[in-house]
Amino acid sequence: MTNSKLFSAAKKVIPSGVNSPVRYFEPYPFFTKKANGAYIWDAENKRYIDFCNGYGALLLGHRRKEIIQAVATQLAKGTLYCTPTEAEIELSKLIAKNFPSIDKVRLVNTGGEATMTAIRLARGYTKKKKIIKFEGCYHGAHDSVLVKAGSGSAHNGISVSDGGLDEVSKNTLVVQYNNIDDLQKTIKKNKDIAGVIVEPILANMGLILPEKNFLSDLRKITKENNIPLIFDEVVTGFRVAPGGAQEYFGIKPDITTMAKALSNGFAIAAVGGRKDIMDLLSPGGKVYQASTFAGNPVAVSAAISSIKTLNKLRNKLYSKLEKYNLLFSTALDDMATDMGIPHQINFTASMFQIFFSKKPVTNYETSKKADAKKFQKMFRTLLKKGIFIAPSQFEVVFLSDAHTENDLNKTLDAYDAALKSVKN
Ligand SMILES: *Cc1c(COP(=O)(O)O)cnc(C)c1O
């Protein structure tokens, strides 16, 4: 069947034809048949080099052999027990070893569940109500964080969702990213702050880097005011370093959430942190949290294998991807400059994004001002040329270990054509 026919059929039984909003793009998304390594194939057997990579999850590429083997071994032993397993201890130890700020870990299934739990923990710990989040940061699709959020909600122009309660969102205070004065003022004005949640690298408004001292000042101020600091490392955990952005920048938050690159393509997430905070979780503590599929043995086996692989490769993988990214982003920058296209390229580790904007992109406002129509034009040309990036300027281009130099050279050629299509 063609992608177009599948989309017509999907729309009849699935709202807008997709199971997550960012998957939709005009006129219709392609339907995936299979994926392997750096590539993804659609229903019409067209092959794309994948740079969406499960929104960053697939740091090791599709169907990485170590992980597939570990999962196959587990499948022979069962898929769901709903009892504790030894493997959960092993995984929690691996996470705690990679993230020195973490003493204890609770496993959940999605990033949104992890941030929901982290925020409830912060409230339970401080016995306070209000949460500070930063404009453009995306922490999942639940009420207390779906306020001026990035990702699909920015793409679809939704600031607070219909059906979300004002009573909930009024307890979420929103502060400008990279603006410590704004944070300080908000903390001074409000006595009732339970926690601050932040993406240490903002990867849901395109890519926005923390300015020098932003994260260290954030840590200092929250500590001085006894406010738990939550690092939402759902994207950055394992992706920018085996110990996440907190290793990369040398900063210790009180609570951490992680998900995407934790298991290289299985549904698992984690919330971890200081022992005195984590021990508030039920049944020992009074902060309730629960899930049937939490710590299921299939996802746990994938996560163990993924972390072990990353730890083994740590000296090679991260520097290789950083080098590829530097070469790619610099070449792309030169290309756009030579064509006289006003643009910004933000990049770090294995992530980058181009914005069609004259001004540097450092926060929600400057990202929103970038020319989204031009981005869509570029996206469509890239797709035609067999390059799949996430279909929004508010997402990020993710490199994986499976990309070869040859893949990247082909991709650069496609960007050349795509930028020309933007110019005309
Ligand atoms: C994707 C994402 C989430 C939500 O994770 P889900 O698994 O989609 O619920 C939370 N925080 C950040 C930073 C993310 O990028």
Side-chain angles (χ1 to χ4, degrees), residues 326-337:
L326 173 70
L327 290 172
F328 194 96
S329 294
T330 310
L332 187 58
D333 193 11
D334 290 345
M335 219 179 243
T337 304

Side-chain angles (χ1 to χ4, degrees), residues 20 54-55 109-115 137-142 145 151 197-204 232-236 257 259-260 268-269 395 398:
S20 196
Y55 288 89
N109 307 286
T110 68
E113 235 185 304
T115 59
C137 284
Y138 179 72
H139 304 294
H142 52 98
V145 288
S151 186
I197 185 166
V198 69
E199 284 185 71
I201 296 170
L202 210 181
N204 281 289
D232 181 357
E233 297 230 37
V234 167
V235 169
T236 52
T257 55
K260 290 178 173 119
I268 186 168
E395 306 294 342
F398 291 103

